[in-house]
Amino acid sequence: MKLNSLRGMQDILPEEIHIWHYIEKNARELFEIYNFREIRTPLLEQAELFLRSIGEDTDIVEKEMYVFNDKKGRKVALRPEGTASVVRAYIQNSLFNNPSPQKFYYMGPMFRYERPQKGRFRQFHQIGVESFGISTPTVEAELILMLKQFFERLNIKDLNYEINSLGCKKCRPSYRDNLFIYLNEKVANLCNDCQRRFTRNPLRVLDCKAPNCKNTLKDTPFIIDFLCDDCRMHFLSFQKELELMKIKYVVNPKIVRGLDYYTRTVFEITTTMLGAQNAVAAGGRYDDLVESFGGPKTPAAGFAIGMERVVELCKEITEIEPKRPFVYVAFAGQGMEGEAKKLVNMLRKNGFITETAYENLSLKNQLKRADKLKVEWVIIVGEEEFKKSMYKWKRMKEGTQGEARIEEILKILREGN
Ligand code: HAM
């Protein structure tokens, strides 16, 4: 039987891991400058955590969660996103007792049973941040600025910053009523899922991807026209902050996001370079979530970046040199294998990426292997040279070679020329 990985779950091979490291390194460096600190939460949580935060009637919870019973019959789920887990950790570990703001970042795999396609996987990776304790729109503006700087570091250009407001507990009900009246006339033309959503959570209907529903709903009322004074002020000040920071954005009143916990600001960063799955990052404010899980009333906001999509963009526009085995140690002659091993250990202790032959190969075959591994340097431990405490060296790319003492070789390797 041939055993392959599961559909929608991919191996990340050494050939491209350097791009992942590069992106992760930039995220860590930048986010820590903004005083975000790393948090690691479990991949497996009680299913109820996601049900109660993301929302029962969302696609993620309804059809995409990996849910199963553990050996004690408890319903558990592989995390489909990071926000709910960070909120749980924030409350469970009483992190609200620490001074505000509390800012966290995370990176790792998420799981959604979606139909796989380009840029959409069942196991995918996010780099996310969550910021707790501040209610002013300066937070969302700072998140967007940080994202912009992140993409600039990676040299990713031509991104669209789309923003919207989803209102709050006060103003959303009147929008919902209006939407309900509007949808009532169209419900017969909607898909089965939307007909069910229509009564339980009409906002979810706006999120439907079915072409017929999209077409039927093209002139729905927008929530942005129903915001209460506080939400409108918040949205306007947010935009003012973006303008002050010279960040170009568009208000897209159609953004509703596929998760129920958002209040007020939501945003998506999109690109035209990836086809249908065009969002590279998305997020927003969720001022009620901590309280709804039994924590103190705590305003919060965050975002998550889709790693696979960013990796794809980095592949297209930047040549990031993969790390290569740097030095290959070859040997020839009586007793030289042992001496070569000592040299390998010494080079590795000095921090050089070092590879060698693990079996007894002819010098010719060792050199062939070094060539295939694309090393930059070969050092040959040969009997004659060894008697004089010398080593032969070869620079593969330039084709130059010579003989030198180890101190001299180390010096050249360190200086890289
Ligand atoms: P989300 O929009 O569901 O938000 O996901 C964020 C990003 O993850 C998307 O923009 C996309 O780039 C990537 N993504 C989502 N699903 C997939 C998939 N199946 N395959 C590949 N990439 C995918 C959240 O998850 C929120 N927790 C973001 C947030 C944090 N809001 C507040 N704080």
Side-chain angles (χ1 to χ4, degrees), residues 8 54 60 64 80-84 106 110-131 143 257-259 261-262 267-269 274 277-286 300-310:
I54 299 171
I60 298 179
E64 295 169 2
E81 59 110 48
T83 311
Y106 50 88
M110 309 289 162
F111 304 84
R112 295 183 194 174
Y113 196 85
E114 297 199 74
R115 194 170 52 77
Q117 55 172 261
K118 188 174 185 286
R120 192 160 78 188
F121 306 95
R122 289 184 174 165
Q123 177 177 321
F124 61 100
H125 297 74
Q126 285 185 342
I127 304 183
V129 311
E130 313 295 344
S131 167
L143 291 179
R257 312 278 298 119
L259 311 101
Y261 48 64
Y262 291 110
F267 53 85
E268 287 184 1
I269 320 294
L274 290 177
Q277 301 306 313
N278 62 354
V280 287
R285 178 167 279 286
Y286 50 95
F303 65 71
I305 300 166
M307 269 298 271
E308 281 76 3
R309 297 180 192 178
V310 176

Side-chain angles (χ1 to χ4, degrees), residues 78-290:
L78 282 171
R79 62 178 187 194
E81 59 110 48
T83 311
S85 302
V86 176
V87 168
R88 180 205 41 72
Y90 178 77
I91 300 168
Q92 186 175 339
N93 298 289
S94 307
L95 301 179
F96 45 79
N97 286 333
N98 298 338
S100 263
Q102 285 294 306
K103 295 155 89 171
F104 308 97
Y105 76 87
Y106 50 88
M107 38 184 86
M110 309 289 162
F111 304 84
R112 295 183 194 174
Y113 196 85
E114 297 199 74
R115 194 170 52 77
Q117 55 172 261
K118 188 174 185 286
R120 192 160 78 188
F121 306 95
R122 289 184 174 165
Q123 177 177 321
F124 61 100
H125 297 74
Q126 285 185 342
I127 304 183
V129 311
E130 313 295 344
S131 167
F132 295 91
I134 310 287
S135 59
T136 60
T138 318
V139 174
E140 293 98 302
E142 187 184 87
L143 291 179
I144 302 256
L145 178 67
M146 191 166 83
L147 269 171
K148 185 170 170 269
Q149 288 175 352
F150 172 71
F151 289 119
E152 274 167 7
R153 273 175 175 241
L154 302 181
N155 210 12
I156 294 176
K157 299 199 177 85
D158 299 325
L159 295 173
N160 306 311
Y161 292 78
E162 302 180 35
I163 62 168
N164 192 20
S165 174
L166 296 182
C168 66
K169 277 193 289 218
K170 256 197 293 171
C171 49
R172 211 178 292 168
S174 75
Y175 171 65
R176 198 182 296 226
D177 292 347
N178 262 275
L179 185 65
F180 192 85
I181 294 166
Y182 169 86
L183 292 176
N184 208 11
E185 290 170 19
K186 319 240 171 198
V187 67
N189 299 329
L190 299 177
C191 70
N192 288 345
D193 278 348
C194 281
Q195 296 197 0
R196 190 170 30 79
R197 288 174 190 141
F198 163 66
T199 42
R200 293 175 63 169
N201 188 354
L203 244 80
R204 287 273 65 81
V205 174
L206 302 181
D207 208 32
C208 184
K209 312 272 184 321
N212 187 45
C213 292
K214 271 186 162 175
N215 199 31
T216 313
L217 301 172
K218 40 180 197 301
D219 45 25
T220 42
F222 290 139
I223 186 154
I224 207 168
D225 299 319
F226 291 82
L227 298 180
C228 61
D229 286 348
D230 288 347
C231 286
R232 190 172 317 110
M233 274 311 294
H234 188 98
F235 195 42
L236 287 175
S237 332
F238 170 49
Q239 293 176 59
K240 210 168 268 164
E241 297 251 8
L242 293 180
E243 276 149 30
L244 277 176
M245 296 187 304
K246 302 206 172 354
I247 296 173
K248 284 203 187 109
Y249 64 89
V250 287
V251 176
N252 178 355
K254 288 194 177 150
I255 297 180
V256 286
R257 312 278 298 119
L259 311 101
D260 274 355
Y261 48 64
Y262 291 110
T263 52
R264 296 190 168 166
T265 316
V266 285
F267 53 85
E268 287 184 1
I269 320 294
T270 58
T271 168
T272 49
M273 284 160 79
L274 290 177
Q277 301 306 313
N278 62 354
V280 287
R285 178 167 279 286
Y286 50 95
D287 287 345
D288 301 330
L289 192 56
V290 175

Side-chain angles (χ1 to χ4, degrees), residues 61-72:
V61 168
E62 228 173 35
K63 353 181 193 169
E64 295 169 2
M65 271 219 301
Y66 280 87
V67 188
F68 54 94
N69 290 330
D70 72 4
K71 287 191 193 296
K72 284 252 167 75

